[in-house]
């Protein structure tokens, strides 16, 4: 049976887990060459390579991989969240990012990291009350995550809730 890239994918994932990001990208590249026509399930290759490329500060290539993954599987919450959050974090395409993140939240409403991304997009758009509401929900879904607590503190502060903000920052 011909190799359809799965063994290279497994190797790439192992390299990525070991934080050998350059080697991971090389193995994902080999896997991609062996896949004649990418199928819906191959979004995982592009997602994995995007994460490795981001760690190598190859942001444009990382983004291109996420977009390639979304072409194969447009309703994949991980892809929508990854691209949406990276845009928000770099203050790019924030309204479009919010649309993607809201879609991801609809698909996976109990994922605290996705809910955090939605809240952070509201925050970056200056919609602080909505940000605080989403981020409060995210903290309940992922208690004790310092990034989410920090985001909630920022939103509380901008919404004029200074005592609660200090509490969240201390908690973070």
């Amino acid at each position: 049976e011909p190799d359809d890239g799965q063994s290279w994918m497994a190797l790439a994932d192992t390299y990525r887990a070991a934080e050998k990001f350059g080697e991971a990208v090389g193995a994902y590249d080999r896997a991609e060459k062996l896949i004649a026509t990418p199928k819906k399930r191959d979004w995982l290759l592009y997602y994995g390579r995007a994460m490795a490329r981001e760690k190598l500060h190859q942001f444009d290539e990382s983004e291109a991989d996420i977009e390639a993954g979304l072409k194969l599987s447009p309703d994949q919450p991980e892809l929508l969240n990854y691209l949406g959050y990276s845009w928000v974090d770099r203050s790019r395409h924030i309204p479009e990012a919010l649309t993607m993140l809201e879609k991801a939240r609809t698909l996976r409403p109990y994922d605290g990291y996705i809910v955090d991304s939605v809240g952070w997009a509201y925050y970056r758009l200056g919609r602080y009350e909505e940000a605080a509401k989403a981020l409060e929900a995210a903290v309940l879904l992922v208690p004790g995550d310092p990034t989410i607590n920090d985001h909630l503190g920022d939103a509380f502060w901008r919404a004029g809730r200074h005592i609660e903000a200090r509490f969240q920052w201390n908690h973070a």
Side-chain angles (χ1 to χ4, degrees), residues 41-157:
R41 69 166 187 188
D42 293 317
W43 72 271
L44 279 162
L45 182 155
Y46 297 100
Y47 182 55
R49 190 169 64 185
M51 289 190 284
R53 283 176 159 167
E54 186 195 21
K55 295 289 189 187
L56 297 167
H57 303 286
Q58 298 171 357
F59 299 115
D60 293 341
E61 295 90 339
S62 174
E63 192 172 301
D65 273 340
I66 293 296
E67 287 172 344
L70 281 168
K71 281 193 185 79
L72 297 172
S73 189
D75 292 331
Q76 203 55 252
E78 290 93 337
L79 295 173
L80 292 164
N81 184 54
Y82 193 89
L83 185 57
Y85 186 83
S86 76
W87 280 351
V88 170
D89 207 44
R90 293 188 285 149
S91 297
R92 296 173 59 204
H93 318 297
I94 298 177
E96 298 93 324
L98 178 59
T99 302
M100 295 170 82
L101 294 167
E102 288 283 18
K103 181 179 177 182
R105 185 183 188 175
T106 302
L107 293 163
R108 200 164 289 165
Y110 301 109
D111 184 319
Y113 297 103
I114 292 174
V115 178
D116 170 65
S117 298
V118 169
W120 199 233
Y122 281 132
Y123 179 87
R124 285 289 174 92
L125 288 167
R127 293 161 64 177
Y128 302 121
E129 294 293 340
E130 289 164 286
K133 196 173 168 194
L135 292 164
E136 281 181 293
V139 163
L140 292 174
L141 291 165
V142 191
D145 182 281
T147 303
I148 299 175
N149 285 113
D150 191 48
H151 286 168
L152 179 56
D154 293 351
F156 277 159
W157 186 265

Side-chain angles (χ1 to χ4, degrees), residues 136 152-153 156-157 160-169:
E136 281 181 293
L152 179 56
F156 277 159
W157 186 265
R161 296 163 68 177
H162 296 166
I163 293 165
E164 291 165 286
R166 285 196 186 93
F167 175 82
Q168 290 302 325
W169 289 329

Side-chain angles (χ1 to χ4, degrees), residues 11-23:
L11 180 63
D13 291 339
T14 303
Y15 277 138
R16 190 165 50 83
E19 298 184 8
K20 294 182 175 182
F21 302 113
E23 291 92 334

